[in-house]
Amino acid sequence: MSKRALITGITGQDGSYLAELLLAHGYEVSGLVRDESSVGLSHIAPIKERLQLIKGDLREPSSLLAAIELSQPQEVYNLGAQTVVHSSWDQIVETGVISGLGVAHLLEAIRTIDPQIRFYQASSSELYGKVEESPQSEQTPFRPRSPYGTAKLYAHWLTTNYRQHYNMFASAGILFNHESPRRGPDFVTRKITRGVARIKLGLEGQLRLGNLDTRRDWGFAGDYVEAMWRMLQVDTPADFVIATGVDRSVRDFCRLAFASVGLDWEQFVVVDPRFFRVEDGEILVGNSAKAREELGWQPQTPFEDIVETMVAKDIEEVAEKAA
């Protein structure tokens, strides 16, 4: 008999890759969506007919109860959130309600209907914020520096509380930055690859960015959703850092992105102080030894391949729109 899973945030980068993975493993997959129209469903368009899409919202507890009753999942993956760190400063309350309180609503719905459901919470390297050690592991203290990170911390600790207090199978993946051609346009990596595409096609002459020395641990989203799935297949729930263990700068990303189309990044990139952020100086790089040992997981996709694939996809999309 097929396993059943419910994914919140199924239309996003991670949700769409996870849905594809679960379908490949023979799951019946349901996804929570706020709008069942075709708008915003492009990432899951190729598999849409194989999914059960259920209208719901993390801000509305009754809709979560209804979604769980309808889908009857053995596994719930919570990937729904306000996902852009810098935007959380403009949406402080909404970020807290969706990314923080929404997890309380979801965990309560699971506990009410079937506490045997296995739950995955998408935590973030933004929990570490003002880092105290490098690389960061599951034991590194959390010191978030944004409303996004703070909301994620509430959700992370709540997941731990439900695991300990109610003995529920609730695990959290502390995922470091992970990219793909499905990455949202508000992220710096996509801003770079989209900018490279427009410059290569002669539509723009420069790319304005913030701190080029900012260093992050970048992996591939398709690899990271496998770690999510593996967390719910083991016998004991726990939290895991998911990362490559290698930090690279925004400058490194620019260099590779422009080089992939035969351009010198220094001729086109302009540093603009307006895009600097207070948290840019922190080096986020993860120690995923626990995941490698206990889950048998490790990243598969080279950084260079991630960047080149993103640029190629953006060139294709920009060219189509310009035609």
Side-chain angles (χ1 to χ4, degrees), residues 16 18 53 71 83 93 141 150 179 182 196 198 210 226 273 301 305:
S16 60
L18 179 60
L53 299 181
S71 59
T83 59
V93 174
T150 301
E179 314 300 321
R182 302 178 192 177
V196 169
R198 293 186 64 80
E226 183 181 343
T301 309
D305 290 358

Side-chain angles (χ1 to χ4, degrees), residues 34-74:
R34 283 193 284 179
D35 183 0
E36 294 183 70
S37 71
S38 60
V39 178
L41 303 183
S42 60
H43 294 334
I44 59 171
I47 58 172
K48 185 173 180 289
E49 299 306 315
R50 301 173 64 192
L51 305 172
Q52 177 181 224
L53 299 181
I54 303 171
K55 192 170 183 179
D57 195 315
L58 288 170
R59 296 170 293 189
E60 299 174 2
S62 61
S63 73
L64 301 179
L65 287 163
I68 293 172
E69 288 178 338
L70 180 61
S71 59
Q72 298 184 350
Q74 286 98 18

